[in-house]
Amino acid sequence: GRTHQIRAHLASVGHPVLGDRKYGGMSRNLPVEPKRQMLHAFQLTFPKELPELPELSRQTLCAPLPEDFLRCLRALGLAEPK
């Protein structure tokens, strides 16, 4: 079902989620071995109309990256999102 859809698709195109033991995101001779999957919803935008939740309509919510995620980005020499 949808539980593994993103992870399975990314792995099928050769880009598994870092730290994903099931779909091959480990042991790639990288300078970091995360203890969990490095998959994070950094930003979510709700559509214009949500009649059942009007307080969320037209909102964008951001969640800062967890510290372990930031450590992985730095170890891989990748830029942190702004």
Side-chain angles (χ1 to χ4, degrees):
R2 293 176 288 186
T3 304
H4 304 281
Q5 187 174 1
I6 292 170
R7 294 165 48 211
H9 176 72
L10 288 171
S12 76
V13 296
H15 298 286
V17 173
L18 182 62
D20 190 341
R21 293 178 188 342
K22 180 171 183 166
Y23 291 102
M26 299 294 290
S27 297
R28 303 246 180 204
N29 296 323
L30 296 174
V32 64
E33 286 283 338
K35 293 181 169 64
R36 66 178 185 94
Q37 298 167 28
M38 296 290 107
L39 187 60
H40 179 77
F42 177 71
Q43 180 175 304
L44 296 173
T45 301
F46 290 92
K48 291 181 181 177
E49 296 301 324
L50 288 173
E52 61 280 0
L53 295 169
E55 68 277 8
L56 291 179
S57 294
R58 294 180 221 117
Q59 266 195 3
T60 297
L61 304 174
C62 295
L65 294 176
E67 187 55 41
D68 63 335
F69 202 110
L70 292 170
R71 279 194 303 273
C72 286
L73 287 176
R74 291 180 199 124
L76 295 169
L78 299 172
E80 297 176 25
K82 305 242 181 231

